[in-house]
Amino acid sequence: MRDAFHDELNALNDRLMQMTNLVRSAISRATTALLDADLQLAESVISQDAEVNRLYAEIETSIYELMATQQPVAVDLRTAITALRMGADLERMGDLAEHVAKIARMRHPVSAIPVEVRDTIVEMGQIAERLVTKTGSCIATRDVDLAKELEDDDDAMDRLHRRLFRVLLSKDWPHGIEPAVDITLIGRYYERYADHAVRVARDVVYLVTGSREPDDSAS
């Protein structure tokens, strides 16, 4: 019975890794769709979010069944709880990538990204991919030091987010209100994507150490 229980915990970890791979691909393709006004790529991100949702639903169901039938304690209980939290954050990351893709679809056949902020959006996409790649490594290896590195990447994302606002609020912004609203939303989506990746990393630290650092990000 205990062997079966630990097999199921391992299966949870495998599903989390699948979710990580999916949301990494989603933000990469969403960024390309946004910059290149690629409608087909945007549609693929939107349609494939259902697979992320399906995996999270499987994680929820498995954990509730384990809690009811196995009554885990100590490290096993911590593993189940953190898997549920990590799955929720990864599911939200998939949603945020989908939101980026929906703006790309809405503005097709032109790019939603004016030239003045294009480089910043490229950097935000790169940082988002770096964050989620490290997140996947943290889940796979439970590397606490690597998990803590994500805080620095998140700080870089926050700086880029502030840079966007400086451009949007400058007196010589030439594109009017509608593009400014798009860029405001896009910046927020990338910033929140990064925040959720950091939350996953913090859960890895909690899983390994039993100590939870304060979470200063809002949902």
Side-chain angles (χ1 to χ4, degrees), residues 63 89 97 152 184 186:
I63 290 172
D89 280 310
D152 292 335
T184 299
I186 290 164

Side-chain angles (χ1 to χ4, degrees), residues 111-132:
S111 172
I113 307 302
V115 65
E116 290 85 352
V117 295
R118 187 176 179 88
D119 288 348
T120 301
I121 296 299
V122 169
E123 287 186 63
M124 293 181 92
Q126 291 170 344
I127 291 174
E129 288 188 60
R130 183 161 72 242
L131 276 160
V132 72

Side-chain angles (χ1 to χ4, degrees), residues 10-75:
N10 290 333
L12 287 174
N13 203 66
D14 290 343
R15 291 190 186 100
L16 288 171
M17 288 302 302
Q18 290 178 55
M19 290 183 74
T20 302
N21 291 334
L22 287 170
V23 301
R24 178 173 55 238
S25 174
I27 199 65
S28 175
R29 288 179 290 125
T31 301
T32 300
L34 190 66
L35 294 166
D36 296 347
D38 188 325
L39 180 60
Q40 183 175 358
L41 205 55
E43 293 286 8
S44 75
V45 175
I46 294 164
S47 64
Q48 289 177 19
D49 188 55
E51 178 66 9
V52 177
N53 296 338
R54 183 190 66 79
L55 285 167
Y56 179 52
E58 288 183 359
I59 288 171
E60 276 192 308
T61 299
S62 295
I63 290 172
Y64 293 149
E65 289 179 354
L66 288 173
M67 298 285 279
T69 60
Q70 301 295 326
Q71 299 180 347
V73 296
V75 174

Side-chain angles (χ1 to χ4, degrees), residues 144 148 151 202 205-206 211-216:
V144 171
K148 292 179 178 179
E151 303 283 352
R202 287 174 175 169
V205 174
Y206 171 66
S211 175
R212 187 176 292 285
E213 298 180 6
D215 186 350
D216 55 4

Side-chain angles (χ1 to χ4, degrees), residues 40-212:
Q40 183 175 358
L41 205 55
E43 293 286 8
S44 75
V45 175
I46 294 164
S47 64
Q48 289 177 19
D49 188 55
E51 178 66 9
V52 177
N53 296 338
R54 183 190 66 79
L55 285 167
Y56 179 52
E58 288 183 359
I59 288 171
E60 276 192 308
T61 299
S62 295
I63 290 172
Y64 293 149
E65 289 179 354
L66 288 173
M67 298 285 279
T69 60
Q70 301 295 326
Q71 299 180 347
V73 296
V75 174
D76 289 342
L77 178 60
R78 197 157 74 226
T79 300
I81 290 172
T82 54
L84 187 61
R85 286 173 55 96
M86 287 189 281
D89 280 310
L90 289 166
E91 189 272 337
R92 184 59 182 149
M93 290 166 73
D95 289 343
L96 291 162
E98 181 186 20
H99 293 338
V100 172
K102 284 182 175 179
I103 291 181
R105 180 177 67 179
M106 179 172 61
R107 298 303 173 202
H108 182 268
V110 299
S111 172
I113 307 302
V115 65
E116 290 85 352
V117 295
R118 187 176 179 88
D119 288 348
T120 301
I121 296 299
V122 169
E123 287 186 63
M124 293 181 92
Q126 291 170 344
I127 291 174
E129 288 188 60
R130 183 161 72 242
L131 276 160
V132 72
T133 298
K134 288 183 178 179
T135 297
S137 296
C138 290
I139 294 171
T141 65
R142 299 186 180 180
D143 186 330
V144 171
D145 291 333
L146 180 61
K148 292 179 178 179
E149 286 183 14
L150 271 75
E151 303 283 352
D152 292 335
D153 291 320
D154 186 47
D155 289 343
M157 183 70 87
D158 290 340
R159 287 193 294 271
L160 291 171
H161 192 210
R162 291 192 293 271
R163 185 199 295 175
L164 277 182
F165 277 100
R166 286 196 297 271
V167 175
L168 293 175
L169 295 174
S170 66
K171 292 180 180 180
D172 56 354
W173 173 254
H175 301 288
I177 293 176
E178 192 171 81
V181 171
D182 286 345
I183 297 302
T184 299
L185 290 172
I186 290 164
R188 180 61 172 166
Y189 296 151
Y190 281 106
E191 188 261 344
R192 291 303 297 143
Y193 186 98
D195 285 345
H196 284 286
V198 169
R199 288 175 56 156
V200 173
R202 287 174 175 169
D203 278 330
V204 171
V205 174
Y206 171 66
L207 176 61
V208 174
T209 67
S211 175
R212 187 176 292 285

